[in-house]
Amino acid sequence: MTDKTAHAAIAGAQTATQTPSLSGRQAAGPMNRLRRLGLLLGVTTSVLLVGCTTVGKDYVAPEPQAPVQWNTPTGASLSTGTLDPAMLSHWWTTLQDPVLTGLIERAAAGNLNLRDAQARIRQARAQRGISESARFPTLGTSASATRARVSENSYYAGTGYAGETLTIYEAGFDAAWEADLFGRVQRQVEAAQAGLEASAENYRDVLVTMLAEVGLNYLEVRTLQARLTVAEANRDAQVKTVSLVRASVDAGEVPRLDLEQAQTQLDVTRSTIPNLEISLAQARNRLAVLLGQPPGTVDAELAERRSIPLAPPQVAIGVPADVLRRRPDVRRAERLLAAASAKTGVAEADLYPRLTLAGSVGLESIGAGDFLTASSRVFGIVPSLQWNLFDAGRIRNNIGSVGAQQEQALIAYEAAVLGALQEVENSITAYGQEMLRRQLLVDGEQSARRALVIAEDQYRAGETDFLKVLDAQRSLLNLQDQLAASNGKVSTNVIRLFKALGGGWTPMAAQTP
């Protein structure tokens, strides 16, 4: 603050507080005193704000160390083209399944984890409001009537009221304000704002995770239904085989061992169905809970078996830098780092003095008749300065503690970056390898079908024993079950890839409380 500015401010304060004329004093009331007190506080505030400074370093967001390209080969179904925000924000529509779309919408409205994240945002917003309130003065009012007897042996013995019982009436306003000389309040507001933004990113992260979980559990339901269909079809085919073998045994054409072997294979196939039913019920129950509803709620609408949704033919995954800018967990870690940085300024501000301005204006009288007269006026101005000169290293240690917390936040941010890159790389690998595995299973399943037909023809012609037929049946059942699971795995890996890319939150960001 320059000398001219200081002189001008002081002169303004002196002009504002000059004693009025006799007639003005007689006409002045308590509200006039309040206005003069407010003017003085305002001028003093202006003077202090000119000289205020903010301690601590200003926060600069770190640049994540991201590679230029993905390490894992993307293959034909994935490309490093620019991320499509519209597609990522509604990734479930690429699977073209209206039932899944309906479940997603219901989960976004009723999921309990999402509602908890919303409540945390409201809490963070309120905390920011608390921090911001410290910028402004506090103003209060009070009124009282006290009935008391004055002691004859007290300090007031010579006042003429000794031994009398008096009623004292009081009413007035008081105000207090702490001048943010070194930016302690400013840093508190910055920390609270960063915390609020971190809560918003946490909401988005919960949203991304929850939507992916809905998709994964829905695909698990459809995959288990497909595996059940395979198991039931093989069971029915083996029932017919047992009937044919029994007829041949009764006719004396084949040994009874063939019948026992056929019945054993049928029992093994039947035994796989209960486990699939258990897993299917559990997946449906998880879906219901994700929607914020009791288990069993979605059983009826998922009772009809439908095909597994197919993954889109090609997905653009962008480059690592694009993903890091989009991922809510990385964005949340960065905001928590910003909050920790601001808190170091709050801690450092304790090294410097605090200036508080307080004042009061009101009326005080021992008689109700003259309570509102000018002679009952009282006022006071109390500026105070507090400076901790010795505390055995408490402030310095607190600064060191907060600085270590900032270092931890930086490490957590770097870990979030590495974790995000790892998740995408793993998803790319899993998707590409599962596509290759699925094609091999398709080829193997076709070969197993042909092998079973040949084995059955040779058995009926008496050219081979029944063990060849059983082996062919087991191979076909195993390959069909693995193919059904792989079909679901391909789509599942696509959903995991969408989640790793941070898909699912852009269009719903406006719904963040």
Short mmCIF file of all heavy atoms in Angstrom, two decimals, residues 346-385:
data_model
loop_
_atom_site.label_atom_id
_atom_site.label_comp_id
_atom_site.label_asym_id
_atom_site.label_seq_id
_atom_site.Cartn_x
_atom_site.Cartn_y
_atom_site.Cartn_z
N VAL A 346 -2.93 -22.44 4.46
CA VAL A 346 -3.66 -22.22 5.72
C VAL A 346 -2.73 -22.44 6.91
O VAL A 346 -2.72 -21.67 7.87
CB VAL A 346 -4.87 -23.16 5.79
CG1 VAL A 346 -5.59 -23.01 7.13
CG2 VAL A 346 -5.84 -22.89 4.64
N ALA A 347 -1.92 -23.51 6.84
CA ALA A 347 -1.01 -23.80 7.94
C ALA A 347 0.07 -22.73 8.07
O ALA A 347 0.42 -22.31 9.18
CB ALA A 347 -0.37 -25.17 7.73
N GLU A 348 0.60 -22.24 6.95
CA GLU A 348 1.65 -21.23 7.00
C GLU A 348 1.13 -19.90 7.52
O GLU A 348 1.88 -19.10 8.11
CB GLU A 348 2.25 -21.05 5.60
CG GLU A 348 3.08 -22.24 5.13
CD GLU A 348 3.64 -22.02 3.74
OE1 GLU A 348 3.64 -20.87 3.29
OE2 GLU A 348 4.07 -23.01 3.12
N ALA A 349 -0.15 -19.63 7.32
CA ALA A 349 -0.71 -18.36 7.80
C ALA A 349 -0.68 -18.24 9.31
O ALA A 349 -0.73 -17.13 9.85
CB ALA A 349 -2.15 -18.21 7.29
N ASP A 350 -0.59 -19.38 10.01
CA ASP A 350 -0.52 -19.32 11.47
C ASP A 350 0.78 -18.72 11.96
O ASP A 350 0.92 -18.40 13.15
CB ASP A 350 -0.71 -20.73 12.06
CG ASP A 350 -2.13 -21.23 11.92
OD1 ASP A 350 -3.03 -20.38 11.77
OD2 ASP A 350 -2.34 -22.46 11.96
N LEU A 351 1.77 -18.57 11.09
CA LEU A 351 3.03 -17.94 11.48
C LEU A 351 2.88 -16.43 11.63
O LEU A 351 3.75 -15.78 12.22
CB LEU A 351 4.11 -18.24 10.44
CG LEU A 351 4.61 -19.69 10.33
CD1 LEU A 351 5.52 -19.83 9.12
CD2 LEU A 351 5.33 -20.11 11.60
N TYR A 352 1.82 -15.88 11.11
CA TYR A 352 1.67 -14.42 11.02
C TYR A 352 0.53 -13.96 11.94
O TYR A 352 -0.32 -14.75 12.35
CB TYR A 352 1.40 -14.02 9.58
CG TYR A 352 2.50 -14.47 8.64
CD1 TYR A 352 2.38 -15.67 7.94
CD2 TYR A 352 3.66 -13.71 8.49
CE1 TYR A 352 3.39 -16.10 7.09
CE2 TYR A 352 4.67 -14.13 7.64
CZ TYR A 352 4.53 -15.34 6.94
OH TYR A 352 5.54 -15.75 6.11
N PRO A 353 0.50 -12.66 12.25
CA PRO A 353 -0.53 -12.15 13.17
C PRO A 353 -1.92 -12.14 12.55
O PRO A 353 -2.07 -12.13 11.33
CB PRO A 353 -0.05 -10.73 13.48
CG PRO A 353 0.80 -10.35 12.32
CD PRO A 353 1.46 -11.60 11.85
N ARG A 354 -2.91 -12.14 13.43
CA ARG A 354 -4.31 -12.03 13.02
C ARG A 354 -4.88 -10.73 13.60
O ARG A 354 -4.69 -10.44 14.78
CB ARG A 354 -5.14 -13.20 13.52
CG ARG A 354 -4.77 -14.54 12.92
CD ARG A 354 -5.75 -15.60 13.38
NE ARG A 354 -5.37 -16.92 12.93
CZ ARG A 354 -6.07 -18.03 13.18
NH1 ARG A 354 -7.21 -17.94 13.88
NH2 ARG A 354 -5.66 -19.20 12.74
N LEU A 355 -5.54 -9.98 12.77
CA LEU A 355 -6.16 -8.73 13.18
C LEU A 355 -7.67 -8.88 13.14
O LEU A 355 -8.24 -9.26 12.11
CB LEU A 355 -5.74 -7.58 12.27
CG LEU A 355 -6.40 -6.22 12.55
CD1 LEU A 355 -6.04 -5.73 13.95
CD2 LEU A 355 -5.99 -5.20 11.50
N THR A 356 -8.31 -8.62 14.28
CA THR A 356 -9.76 -8.71 14.38
C THR A 356 -10.32 -7.36 14.79
O THR A 356 -9.80 -6.71 15.71
CB THR A 356 -10.17 -9.77 15.41
OG1 THR A 356 -9.61 -11.03 15.03
CG2 THR A 356 -11.68 -9.91 15.48
N LEU A 357 -11.36 -6.94 14.09
CA LEU A 357 -12.06 -5.71 14.42
C LEU A 357 -13.43 -6.06 14.98
O LEU A 357 -14.19 -6.80 14.35
CB LEU A 357 -12.21 -4.83 13.18
CG LEU A 357 -10.92 -4.41 12.48
CD1 LEU A 357 -11.23 -3.60 11.23
CD2 LEU A 357 -10.05 -3.59 13.43
N ALA A 358 -13.74 -5.53 16.14
CA ALA A 358 -15.03 -5.79 16.77
C ALA A 358 -15.62 -4.47 17.22
O ALA A 358 -14.91 -3.52 17.58
CB ALA A 358 -14.89 -6.75 17.94
N GLY A 359 -16.91 -4.39 17.22
CA GLY A 359 -17.58 -3.17 17.64
C GLY A 359 -19.00 -3.46 18.08
O GLY A 359 -19.57 -4.50 17.73
N SER A 360 -19.55 -2.55 18.87
CA SER A 360 -20.93 -2.71 19.32
C SER A 360 -21.55 -1.34 19.49
O SER A 360 -20.86 -0.34 19.75
CB SER A 360 -20.98 -3.48 20.65
OG SER A 360 -20.32 -2.75 21.67
N VAL A 361 -22.85 -1.27 19.33
CA VAL A 361 -23.61 -0.05 19.53
C VAL A 361 -24.98 -0.44 20.07
O VAL A 361 -25.54 -1.47 19.67
CB VAL A 361 -23.74 0.75 18.21
CG1 VAL A 361 -24.47 -0.05 17.15
CG2 VAL A 361 -24.45 2.07 18.45
N GLY A 362 -25.48 0.34 21.04
CA GLY A 362 -26.76 -0.04 21.59
C GLY A 362 -27.27 0.97 22.59
O GLY A 362 -26.82 2.13 22.64
N LEU A 363 -28.21 0.52 23.42
CA LEU A 363 -28.85 1.35 24.42
C LEU A 363 -28.79 0.64 25.76
O LEU A 363 -28.91 -0.60 25.83
CB LEU A 363 -30.31 1.61 24.04
CG LEU A 363 -30.56 2.33 22.71
CD1 LEU A 363 -32.03 2.29 22.36
CD2 LEU A 363 -30.06 3.77 22.79
N GLU A 364 -28.61 1.42 26.84
CA GLU A 364 -28.58 0.85 28.18
C GLU A 364 -29.19 1.85 29.15
O GLU A 364 -28.84 3.03 29.14
CB GLU A 364 -27.14 0.53 28.58
CG GLU A 364 -27.03 -0.14 29.94
CD GLU A 364 -25.59 -0.45 30.27
OE1 GLU A 364 -25.13 -1.55 29.93
OE2 GLU A 364 -24.92 0.43 30.86
N SER A 365 -30.10 1.39 29.98
CA SER A 365 -30.80 2.29 30.88
C SER A 365 -31.31 1.52 32.08
O SER A 365 -31.59 0.32 32.00
CB SER A 365 -31.97 2.98 30.16
OG SER A 365 -32.75 3.73 31.05
N ILE A 366 -31.42 2.22 33.22
CA ILE A 366 -32.00 1.60 34.42
C ILE A 366 -33.47 1.97 34.57
O ILE A 366 -34.10 1.62 35.56
CB ILE A 366 -31.23 2.02 35.68
CG1 ILE A 366 -31.26 3.55 35.85
CG2 ILE A 366 -29.80 1.51 35.63
CD1 ILE A 366 -30.65 4.00 37.16
N GLY A 367 -33.99 2.66 33.56
CA GLY A 367 -35.41 3.00 33.57
C GLY A 367 -36.00 2.82 32.19
O GLY A 367 -35.38 3.13 31.18
N ALA A 368 -37.20 2.29 32.15
CA ALA A 368 -37.83 2.05 30.86
C ALA A 368 -38.21 3.36 30.18
O ALA A 368 -38.24 3.45 28.95
CB ALA A 368 -39.08 1.18 31.04
N GLY A 369 -38.46 4.42 30.95
CA GLY A 369 -38.93 5.66 30.37
C GLY A 369 -37.89 6.35 29.51
O GLY A 369 -38.24 6.98 28.50
N ASP A 370 -36.62 6.29 29.91
CA ASP A 370 -35.59 6.98 29.15
C ASP A 370 -34.72 6.02 28.35
O ASP A 370 -33.61 6.33 27.95
CB ASP A 370 -34.70 7.78 30.09
CG ASP A 370 -34.08 6.92 31.17
OD1 ASP A 370 -34.39 5.71 31.22
OD2 ASP A 370 -33.28 7.45 31.97
N PHE A 371 -35.23 4.79 28.09
CA PHE A 371 -34.44 3.78 27.38
C PHE A 371 -34.11 4.20 25.96
O PHE A 371 -33.02 3.97 25.45
CB PHE A 371 -35.19 2.43 27.39
CG PHE A 371 -34.46 1.33 26.67
CD1 PHE A 371 -33.26 0.84 27.16
CD2 PHE A 371 -34.97 0.80 25.49
CE1 PHE A 371 -32.59 -0.18 26.50
CE2 PHE A 371 -34.29 -0.20 24.83
CZ PHE A 371 -33.11 -0.70 25.33
N LEU A 372 -35.06 4.86 25.27
CA LEU A 372 -34.88 5.22 23.87
C LEU A 372 -34.33 6.63 23.69
O LEU A 372 -34.33 7.15 22.58
CB LEU A 372 -36.22 5.08 23.13
CG LEU A 372 -36.81 3.67 23.08
CD1 LEU A 372 -38.16 3.68 22.36
CD2 LEU A 372 -35.85 2.70 22.40
N THR A 373 -33.86 7.25 24.75
CA THR A 373 -33.32 8.60 24.61
C THR A 373 -31.85 8.54 24.22
O THR A 373 -31.17 7.51 24.35
CB THR A 373 -33.47 9.36 25.94
OG1 THR A 373 -32.69 8.69 26.94
CG2 THR A 373 -34.92 9.42 26.37
N ALA A 374 -31.35 9.71 23.75
CA ALA A 374 -29.95 9.78 23.31
C ALA A 374 -28.98 9.53 24.44
O ALA A 374 -27.85 9.04 24.22
CB ALA A 374 -29.69 11.14 22.67
N SER A 375 -29.34 9.85 25.66
CA SER A 375 -28.44 9.66 26.78
C SER A 375 -28.20 8.20 27.12
O SER A 375 -27.31 7.88 27.89
CB SER A 375 -28.98 10.40 28.01
OG SER A 375 -30.27 9.90 28.34
N SER A 376 -29.01 7.29 26.59
CA SER A 376 -28.85 5.86 26.87
C SER A 376 -27.92 5.17 25.88
O SER A 376 -27.72 3.96 25.97
CB SER A 376 -30.23 5.16 26.84
OG SER A 376 -31.08 5.68 27.83
N ARG A 377 -27.39 5.90 24.93
CA ARG A 377 -26.56 5.29 23.91
C ARG A 377 -25.23 4.81 24.47
O ARG A 377 -24.61 5.49 25.29
CB ARG A 377 -26.28 6.28 22.78
CG ARG A 377 -27.51 6.65 21.96
CD ARG A 377 -27.18 7.73 20.95
NE ARG A 377 -26.72 8.96 21.64
CZ ARG A 377 -26.26 10.02 21.00
NH1 ARG A 377 -26.17 10.01 19.68
NH2 ARG A 377 -25.88 11.09 21.69
N VAL A 378 -24.78 3.64 23.98
CA VAL A 378 -23.45 3.11 24.30
C VAL A 378 -22.85 2.55 23.02
O VAL A 378 -23.56 2.08 22.12
CB VAL A 378 -23.52 2.00 25.37
CG1 VAL A 378 -23.97 2.56 26.71
CG2 VAL A 378 -24.43 0.86 24.94
N PHE A 379 -21.55 2.59 22.88
CA PHE A 379 -20.89 1.96 21.75
C PHE A 379 -19.44 1.69 22.12
O PHE A 379 -18.91 2.26 23.08
CB PHE A 379 -20.98 2.82 20.49
CG PHE A 379 -20.03 3.99 20.47
CD1 PHE A 379 -18.77 3.88 19.88
CD2 PHE A 379 -20.39 5.20 21.06
CE1 PHE A 379 -17.91 4.96 19.86
CE2 PHE A 379 -19.52 6.28 21.04
CZ PHE A 379 -18.27 6.16 20.45
N GLY A 380 -18.82 0.80 21.36
CA GLY A 380 -17.42 0.49 21.60
C GLY A 380 -16.78 -0.08 20.35
O GLY A 380 -17.44 -0.75 19.55
N ILE A 381 -15.52 0.18 20.15
CA ILE A 381 -14.74 -0.37 19.04
C ILE A 381 -13.51 -1.04 19.64
O ILE A 381 -12.77 -0.42 20.41
CB ILE A 381 -14.32 0.72 18.04
CG1 ILE A 381 -15.55 1.38 17.44
CG2 ILE A 381 -13.45 0.13 16.94
CD1 ILE A 381 -15.21 2.52 16.51
N VAL A 382 -13.33 -2.34 19.29
CA VAL A 382 -12.25 -3.12 19.90
C VAL A 382 -11.42 -3.79 18.82
O VAL A 382 -11.71 -4.92 18.42
CB VAL A 382 -12.81 -4.19 20.87
CG1 VAL A 382 -11.67 -4.88 21.61
CG2 VAL A 382 -13.80 -3.57 21.84
N PRO A 383 -10.41 -3.13 18.29
CA PRO A 383 -9.46 -3.83 17.40
C PRO A 383 -8.50 -4.66 18.25
O PRO A 383 -8.07 -4.22 19.33
CB PRO A 383 -8.74 -2.70 16.68
CG PRO A 383 -8.86 -1.53 17.58
CD PRO A 383 -10.11 -1.69 18.39
N SER A 384 -8.20 -5.88 17.77
CA SER A 384 -7.29 -6.74 18.53
C SER A 384 -6.32 -7.41 17.58
O SER A 384 -6.66 -7.75 16.45
CB SER A 384 -8.07 -7.81 19.31
OG SER A 384 -8.76 -8.67 18.43
N LEU A 385 -5.09 -7.59 18.05
CA LEU A 385 -4.04 -8.23 17.27
C LEU A 385 -3.53 -9.43 18.04
O LEU A 385 -3.17 -9.32 19.21
CB LEU A 385 -2.90 -7.24 17.01
CG LEU A 385 -1.76 -7.75 16.12
CD1 LEU A 385 -2.24 -7.96 14.70
CD2 LEU A 385 -0.59 -6.77 16.16
#
